[in-house]
Amino acid sequence: VYVFAFDQVTGKLTKVHDITAHGVGVGPRQLVFHPNGRCAYLVNELDSSVSVFNYDSHSGNLRLVQTAPALPLEAQGMARTTNNCSEHAIHPSGRYLYVANRGHDSIQTFSVDPTSGCLSPLANTPTQGKVPRHFCLNHDGTMMAVANQNSDNIVFFNINESTGIPEFGGRVISVPTPTCVRMLAPPSPSNLSTL
């Protein structure tokens, strides 16, 4: 992972740091920041894990504090063989992190420690399809849509308000080979007059 400083005047990028996740060949895929800006979560595609970093906004440094498996204990043998992580997202509240597992065809839910940002596994939810390539949360974190690429569907889950765990809501839309899904926030009343 490379960290760059951005000069807003010149538009120039200057490399500040480079960070190795937790080993060679783990396949770092993408990074999301906690809403508090002090932690970052890197999903590792090839070894089905999540690296947790403390982030120093002044120096741009990321310091590895935890690596958590993205598969439940009974399925961890699938890492590096038949499972790859795809998408991950942090709940708008910052209390939960979600990771999609292609192969195991599940969403792993973690609770996020409010002080350290470290992860604890909460639940593993089947995606009701094959190869969850992408998923997203709606603007307030009450719903999740999962794009199951190899079963040609988008499946909707309600997010349990007290546990953060996705629960199948019974709604499935047929879509050929979905690879990305997004939900728009409803327009605010002040913006309705401009539509």
Side-chain angles (χ1 to χ4, degrees):
V1 176
Y2 298 101
V3 178
F4 291 86
F6 175 67
D7 186 316
Q8 294 182 12
V9 175
T10 65
K12 183 179 177 184
L13 292 173
T14 305
K15 186 172 154 185
V16 180
H17 298 284
D18 55 54
I19 295 103
T20 302
H22 69 274
V24 176
V26 299
R29 183 173 172 89
Q30 58 193 14
L31 185 82
V32 296
F33 280 88
H34 191 279
N36 69 18
R38 296 189 311 263
C39 294
Y41 302 91
L42 176 67
V43 70
N44 299 301
E45 180 176 11
L46 301 180
D47 79 341
S48 303
S49 69
V50 181
S51 297
V52 180
F53 295 90
N54 285 340
Y55 175 64
D56 181 338
S57 61
H58 298 292
S59 68
N61 192 38
L62 291 165
R63 183 177 59 84
L64 181 66
V65 293
Q66 180 191 24
T67 298
L71 287 165
L73 185 60
E74 67 275 6
Q76 288 179 11
M78 295 176 73
R80 293 191 179 270
T81 58
T82 58
N83 188 77
N84 296 108
C85 292
S86 57
E87 180 68 17
H88 72 313
I90 188 101
H91 190 273
S93 69
R95 294 173 49 205
Y96 310 104
L97 181 84
Y98 305 95
V99 179
N101 287 297
R102 294 177 289 180
H104 191 255
D105 300 329
S106 64
I107 300 292
Q108 180 68 41
T109 303
F110 294 95
S111 64
V112 177
D113 183 278
T115 305
S116 69
C118 288
L119 303 175
S120 297
L122 278 181
N124 189 271
T125 306
T127 62
Q128 308 295 319
K130 295 187 185 306
V131 185
R133 178 69 180 255
H134 193 262
F135 72 89
C136 70
L137 299 168
N138 66 343
H139 72 287
D140 61 1
T142 58
M143 184 182 291
M144 176 186 288
V146 178
N148 290 303
Q149 182 177 4
N150 288 8
S151 55
D152 300 326
N153 63 19
I154 296 174
V155 179
F156 292 86
F157 295 84
N158 299 314
I159 303 297
N160 183 301
E161 189 176 326
S162 61
T163 66
I165 297 170
E167 298 171 348
F168 179 53
R171 186 163 182 213
V172 179
I173 299 173
S174 293
V175 176
T177 320
T179 59
C180 185
V181 62
R182 295 284 184 217
M183 287 189 268
L184 298 176
S188 65
S190 62
N191 290 341
L192 288 176
S193 62
T194 61
L195 295 177

